[in-house]
Amino acid sequence: MGKFRKELVREVKREEENRKKQKKLREKFDIPKDVVIVEKTNTFKFLVNVTGGVIKTAVLIIIFLLTVIGIVSLVFPVSRNELIHQFMITMKELRNFIGI
């Protein structure tokens, strides 16, 4: 009997979710209530979504790696000195480039 109730609850949740989705779509496209709206995905939309996900994941990995490199370079004295030295050289080059 437990499985029956779980399945019944799932189906009621699906129907409620479907009802909310249909209401949003009707409001969005200004369609009467007696029409059921079916959204179909196409290859271009799928490709854009997948590419966006891949780019977001790659950016997050790069940010994480740069954060780890920054923390490690600040924790260890040898790399900290080299980082400060490199920062000073970069600032000098920027001043020369801008003309200050």
Side-chain angles (χ1 to χ4, degrees):
M1 185 136 171
K3 288 184 179 181
F4 177 72
R5 288 184 183 170
K6 288 180 184 178
E7 188 61 37
L8 186 61
V9 169
R10 282 188 203 134
E11 187 160 336
V12 169
K13 286 182 180 179
R14 272 190 236 131
E15 286 178 11
E16 184 64 30
E17 185 179 311
N18 227 359
R19 196 173 304 121
K20 288 179 184 178
K21 189 175 181 182
Q22 286 293 316
K23 185 178 177 183
K24 274 185 179 178
L25 288 171
R26 283 190 191 108
E27 289 173 0
K28 182 177 178 182
F29 297 113
D30 194 31
I31 295 178
K33 290 187 177 186
D34 59 341
V35 177
V36 176
I37 303 167
V38 179
E39 279 189 320
K40 294 184 178 179
T41 60
N42 57 17
T43 307
F44 181 72
K45 189 187 259 188
F46 174 76
L47 186 63
V48 167
N49 288 337
V50 169
T51 305
V54 168
I55 290 172
K56 284 180 186 177
T57 305
V59 167
L60 286 174
I61 290 171
I62 290 170
I63 289 173
F64 176 74
L65 290 174
L66 288 173
T67 304
V68 169
I69 290 170
I71 291 172
V72 167
S73 65
L74 291 174
V75 169
F76 295 107
V78 174
S79 60
R80 183 179 335 132
N81 291 335
E82 188 60 35
L83 180 67
I84 292 171
H85 178 70
Q86 195 62 38
F87 179 73
M88 297 304 279
I89 291 172
T90 304
M91 292 305 292
K92 185 188 286 185
E93 290 293 324
L94 281 174
R95 285 189 195 125
N96 288 338
F97 181 73
I98 294 173
I100 295 176

